[in-house]
């Protein structure tokens, strides 16, 4: 510990760094940050001052001093501050989209230096443009442009925050890739969109019927592929629900009652999957506004009607958010998210949560289906659909799968309600 000659505080630092006088690590870091962010005019741009403050308020300034030149995000920030790189989304889009760029972009948005935007939508538009540009044939390129830009990206479903979720963006990218592959397949076989033989099409759709038929049907509606016919829809199979219900409930009890079983975040998320059949893409977008408390009870809004949380799940959920981003992003975190992501102002990525759930033995799809089956066997479809946020059609199908006859239940309730 030293008595800093600049701030006067007793803190960790070096004794001979300020003209032979002691200087703490926080003051050293602040001076280094100010030097890096000072532009050619000798001033720090007003837009970057919140970023500067977040950097100087780090809890471990010594690590910033040691790693400053090794952190690509800080080097890029220095280039922006000194006018070598434009402060804009377009300038960042032009760079390889590695973690350091994403981290800095989120930091700048959270600080108000850049306007907020839907990053998944922006990446999806950029991906579609890149794939389309790789098609040499003008007609094929025009078809793929219309399919990717207007049919997929333009109609991509947004969440309640008016953003495209990562899983929706991933599905769109897969559909774009499948469409591009079909066009390449036609070209390699010496065919075009008007003279594709039936055998050629059959060979294509055999290997991946579900995804590949979507683009083919879109082409048919547009007047292409006139010489071929398409097979009818295949009846949907019963969803997989091969997780043992008793084992699933045993896992729930362990996660609820054993603090050492996982982090607070992971225990809460796993229970929302195992008990309320919530998809990870929806869990990570929950906010503090979704929690409602009153009369000693805690409710969580998962659907149109808030669901009453059982103890001690209520304590786990109300303890969120329990994690913070690292570095300067922690000072600019958006505390409305219950599951905070690594970048400033963002929620946890669904893929990250999915990996953590797998380590706990929670396989999202099968575990959710088992939870839906249990709900459908004990609760009327309209009730559990409203509570957990699924459509009434989905709830009814699960009711049929569970063998629950809720029509007789409804008739009994109506007869009881008559005077």
């Amino acid at each position: 510990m030293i008595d800093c000659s600049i701030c006067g505080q007793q803190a960790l630092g070096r004794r001979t760094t300020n003209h032979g006088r002691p200087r703490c690590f926080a003051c050293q870091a602040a001076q280094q940050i100010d030097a890096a962010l000072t532009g050619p005019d000798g001033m720090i741009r007003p837009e970057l001052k919140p970023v500067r403050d977040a950097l100087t308020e780090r809890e471990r300034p010594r690590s910033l001093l040691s790693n400053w030149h090794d952190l690509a995000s800080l080097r890029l920030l220095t280039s922006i501050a000194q006018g070598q790189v434009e402060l804009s989304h377009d300038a960042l889009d032009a760079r390889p989209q590695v973690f350091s760029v994403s981290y800095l972009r989120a930091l700048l948005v959270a600080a108000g230096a850049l306007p907020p935007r839907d990053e998944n939508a922006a990446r999806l538009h950029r991906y579609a443009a890149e794939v389309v540009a790789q098609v040499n044939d003008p007609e094929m390129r025009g078809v793929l442009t219309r399919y990717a830009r207007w049919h997929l990206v333009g109609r991509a479903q947004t969440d309640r925050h008016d953003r495209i979720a990562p899983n929706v963006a991933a599905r769109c990218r897969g559909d774009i890739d499948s469409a591009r592959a079909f066009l390449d397949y036609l070209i390699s076989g010496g065919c075009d969109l008007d003279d594709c033989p039936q055998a050629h099409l059959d060979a294509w759709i055999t290997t991946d019927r579900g995804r590949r038929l979507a683009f083919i049907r879109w082409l048919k509606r547009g007047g292409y592929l006139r010489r071929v016919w398409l097979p009818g829809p295949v009846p949907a199979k019963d969803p997989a629900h091969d997780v043992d219900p008793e084992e699933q409930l045993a896992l729930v009890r362990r996660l609820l009652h054993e603090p050492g079983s996982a982090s607070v975040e992971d225990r809460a998320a796993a229970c929302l999957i195992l008990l309320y059949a919530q998809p990870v893409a929806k869990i990570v977008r929950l906010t503090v506004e979704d929690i409602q408390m009153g009369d000693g009870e805690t409710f969580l809004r998962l659907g149109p009607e808030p669901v009453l949380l059982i103890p001690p799940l209520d304590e786990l959920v109300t303890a969120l958010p329990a994690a913070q981003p690292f570095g300067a992003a922690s000072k600019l975190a958006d505390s409305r998210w219950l599951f905070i992501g690594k970048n400033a102002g963002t929620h946890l990525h669904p893929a990250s949560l999915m990996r953590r759930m797998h380590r706990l033995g929670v396989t999202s799809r099968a575990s959710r289906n088992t939870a839906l089956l249990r709900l459908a066997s004990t609760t009327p479809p309209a009730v559990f659909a409203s509570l957990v946020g699924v459509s009434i059609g989905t709830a009814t199908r699960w009711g049929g799968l569970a063998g629950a006859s809720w029509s007789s239940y409804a008739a009994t309730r109506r007869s009881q309600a008559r005077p």
Side-chain angles (χ1 to χ4, degrees):
M1 303 287 286
I2 56 98
D3 292 319
C4 180
S5 61
I6 296 177
C7 66
Q9 301 292 318
Q10 190 175 63
L12 293 174
R14 296 189 177 93
R15 297 188 180 278
T16 57
T17 56
N18 185 29
H19 302 290
R21 292 177 296 173
R23 183 170 53 161
C24 69
F25 291 129
C27 287
Q28 292 179 59
Q31 289 182 345
Q32 183 161 326
I33 292 165
D34 288 345
L37 299 188
T38 298
D41 60 355
M43 304 288 290
I44 297 177
R45 297 174 62 164
E47 311 97 298
L48 298 182
K49 286 185 177 179
V51 179
R52 182 264 180 200
D53 294 341
L55 288 169
T56 56
E57 292 172 8
R58 284 172 59 115
E59 295 180 359
R60 293 182 294 176
R62 187 174 187 176
S63 66
L64 184 65
L65 286 168
S66 302
N67 300 314
W68 179 273
H69 297 292
D70 296 326
L71 295 174
S73 57
L74 293 180
R75 294 198 302 271
L76 179 55
L77 177 61
T78 301
S79 299
I80 292 174
Q82 297 179 358
Q84 299 165 4
V85 175
E86 182 184 0
L87 177 58
S88 68
H89 281 297
D90 289 343
L92 295 178
D93 289 343
R95 307 182 76 85
Q97 297 304 295
V98 294
F99 174 74
S100 59
V101 175
S102 300
Y103 180 84
L104 179 59
R105 187 199 302 274
L107 202 65
L108 293 169
V109 170
L114 285 179
R117 70 175 188 177
D118 185 344
E119 284 303 318
N120 287 318
R123 293 190 194 103
L124 187 55
H125 279 284
R126 189 163 59 245
Y127 184 82
E130 291 171 354
V131 173
V132 166
Q134 297 168 6
V135 178
N136 295 322
D137 183 272
E139 182 186 10
M140 300 282 196
R141 186 167 59 249
V143 169
L144 185 57
T145 297
R146 292 193 296 275
Y147 180 69
R149 181 176 298 174
W150 305 117
H151 183 72
L152 292 178
V153 180
R155 299 171 60 187
Q157 184 178 7
T158 57
D159 61 21
R160 60 197 178 98
H161 304 291
D162 201 27
R163 300 294 178 94
I164 295 179
N167 60 314
V168 174
R171 185 164 61 248
C172 287
R173 287 193 295 270
D175 289 341
I176 292 171
D177 289 341
S178 180
R180 161 72 194 280
F182 177 68
L183 298 180
D184 288 344
Y185 174 74
L186 286 181
I187 294 171
S188 65
C191 306
D192 60 32
L193 292 169
D194 294 320
D195 66 353
C196 175
Q198 184 71 47
H200 205 59
L201 178 64
D202 291 344
W204 168 255
I205 64 176
T206 299
T207 56
D208 189 2
R209 177 173 174 148
R211 169 163 284 176
R212 293 183 169 183
L213 267 178
F215 181 53
I216 306 303
R217 293 190 191 282
W218 181 84
L219 288 172
K220 288 285 287 182
R221 290 195 299 271
Y224 298 101
L225 303 177
R226 296 185 181 89
R227 296 176 51 193
V228 303
W229 63 272
L230 298 181
V234 176
K237 297 180 181 179
D238 289 342
H241 50 279
D242 52 0
V243 177
D244 186 281
E246 293 302 320
E247 292 182 2
Q248 181 150 313
L249 288 177
L251 177 57
V252 169
R253 286 191 287 269
R254 182 168 67 86
L255 291 168
L256 284 175
H257 300 289
E258 297 181 15
S261 58
S263 68
V264 170
E265 276 188 319
D266 289 358
R267 291 166 63 200
C271 289
L272 291 176
I273 296 172
L274 300 174
L275 291 176
Y276 302 112
Q278 296 301 293
V280 293
K282 182 177 174 182
I283 291 172
V284 297
R285 299 195 300 274
L286 291 172
T287 70
V288 294
E289 287 81 11
D290 293 318
I291 301 175
Q292 301 175 14
M293 304 180 70
D295 297 328
E297 295 179 322
T298 301
F299 296 82
L300 183 64
R301 187 161 60 91
L302 303 173
E305 295 292 329
V307 62
L308 174 64
L309 297 180
I310 61 172
L313 179 57
D314 55 349
E315 297 178 4
L316 293 176
V317 171
T318 53
L320 300 173
Q324 291 290 332
F326 69 90
S330 64
K331 302 299 179 182
L332 295 168
D334 188 343
S335 57
R336 65 175 172 149
W337 302 117
L338 295 184
F339 297 87
I340 293 180
K342 292 186 294 185
N343 292 342
T346 64
H347 59 66
L348 185 64
H349 196 284
S352 297
L353 183 58
M354 181 77 77
R355 288 192 293 269
R356 287 155 56 170
M357 294 299 96
H358 285 172
R359 288 196 290 269
L360 293 178
V362 179
T363 52
S364 181
R365 177 62 63 84
S367 297
R368 283 188 61 225
N369 288 351
T370 300
L372 283 168
L373 192 65
R374 178 183 58 80
L375 289 167
S377 65
T378 58
T379 314
V383 174
F384 95 77
S386 179
L387 290 175
V388 304
V390 298
S391 69
I392 186 63
T394 297
T396 302
R397 286 195 297 272
W398 277 101
L401 187 63
S405 178
W406 288 109
S407 57
S408 60
Y409 170 90
T412 302
R413 292 287 292 171
R414 285 194 297 271
S415 64
Q416 292 175 346
R418 295 191 185 101

